Amino acid sequence: MAIELNLDSLKDMKKADFVKAFKNKPAWKKANAVIILVDYKLDGKKATVAIPFKKIAEMKMEMKRLKKEKLHLLKKSGGASFEIEKNPDGPIANIELLNGGLAPQAMGTKVADLFAIIKLGIKTSQSAEAAAEAAELPAEKDPDENLPEDNYNDVETDEEDEAEDKNETSIADNAQKETVKQALMPEEKAKMMGNMKKMEENLNKLITKLNDLKSK
């Protein structure tokens, strides 16, 4: 059973469990929003984490809860829209920060390192509303500032994901071929029936000729 990735499950997650949950590609394919937490305490180290959401409204509700329950520093938390775009060099996630205190420049390469695990590039921006909200937030003391950082350099990209993508493509191609085959079947059947009719006509002509010869 897949581990569900949310604000509550993150609290006691080990790094291996987070990476496994983060690699749930179907969740990212369906995502329209994301919460990004930079320097989040994960398994004894500071790490960047991201949680996918199907709806922007759901993300905003969780951001309100994060702020109310003080689940993470607001200056290092951001709610954003999320959209995967096709690119000649590979898919890119277009991430636009909509609320929270996180700014694109504060992410550095941390978010890029995270999404590299699933071979997804990123492009970040910030709405005017989010920029204004971030500017108004007071300074916060980070209780985990002395923890070592984890940039996921020791996490290998999953080759099974690449094999899965190839398999999905192969299945799609086979399905398309089968559809074409099914579409051609009536035409092939009609052609076969026509050939059989001609054979029957020729056979009848041959029988007629044989009977004529016998009568002579």
Side-chain angles (χ1 to χ4, degrees):
M1 184 176 178
I3 303 172
E4 186 177 358
L5 194 56
N6 54 51
L7 287 176
D8 293 320
S9 64
L10 267 177
K11 294 176 183 177
D12 301 312
M13 261 192 184
K14 297 294 184 182
K15 177 182 174 180
D17 292 332
F18 168 74
V19 171
K20 184 176 180 180
F22 181 79
K23 284 185 175 182
N24 183 2
K25 293 180 71 176
W28 290 109
K29 289 178 180 178
K30 297 175 184 177
N32 289 298
V34 61
I35 285 180
I36 297 172
L37 307 176
V38 172
D39 291 344
Y40 184 84
K41 185 179 180 181
L42 179 69
D43 207 3
K45 293 184 178 181
K46 292 190 296 184
T48 298
V49 297
I51 304 170
F53 293 87
K54 291 182 180 179
K55 298 179 181 179
I56 290 178
E58 293 175 349
M59 173 274 290
K60 288 185 175 180
M61 287 180 62
E62 286 298 273
M63 283 296 294
K64 286 182 180 179
R65 186 164 78 90
L66 181 147
K67 181 178 181 180
K68 182 179 179 181
E69 298 179 14
K70 298 181 179 180
L71 300 177
H72 192 55
L73 298 176
L74 290 177
K75 282 283 189 182
K76 297 185 177 182
S77 306
S81 61
F82 183 91
E83 181 183 8
I84 297 178
E85 301 175 349
K86 292 183 178 180
N87 187 279
D89 297 324
I92 291 179
N94 186 5
I95 299 172
E96 182 185 16
L97 293 163
L98 302 177
N99 58 4
L102 187 63
Q105 59 269 26
M107 297 189 215
T109 60
K110 295 177 181 180
V111 179
D113 290 340
L114 173 62
F115 280 95
I117 295 174
I118 54 174
K119 297 182 179 179
L120 189 61
I122 65 163
K123 179 173 63 176
T124 60
S125 60
Q126 185 180 35
S127 69
E129 293 80 4
E133 181 180 348
E136 292 175 359
L137 289 176
E140 297 172 292
K141 174 68 176 178
D142 187 354
D144 301 317
E145 62 180 348
N146 294 322
L147 287 178
E149 291 192 19
D150 195 330
N151 55 12
Y152 298 105
N153 282 345
D154 59 337
V155 177
E156 295 182 1
T157 54
D158 198 342
E159 296 302 326
E160 291 181 3
D161 289 345
E162 188 174 345
E164 180 184 342
D165 288 341
K166 290 181 180 178
N167 186 47
E168 287 177 359
T169 302
S170 177
I171 291 172
D173 289 344
N174 289 338
Q176 186 176 10
K177 289 176 182 177
E178 184 63 25
T179 301
V180 172
K181 182 179 178 182
Q182 292 293 334
L184 291 175
M185 279 184 69
E187 183 180 343
E188 292 177 353
K189 186 176 180 180
K191 186 177 179 180
M192 186 181 296
M193 292 296 291
N195 290 337
M196 289 178 67
K197 188 174 182 180
K198 286 182 180 180
M199 288 174 65
E200 185 179 359
E201 290 174 353
N202 291 334
L203 183 61
N204 288 333
K205 288 179 181 179
L206 181 60
I207 292 172
T208 302
K209 286 182 180 181
L210 288 172
N211 289 335
D212 289 343
L213 289 173
K214 286 181 180 180
S215 63
K216 291 178 180 179

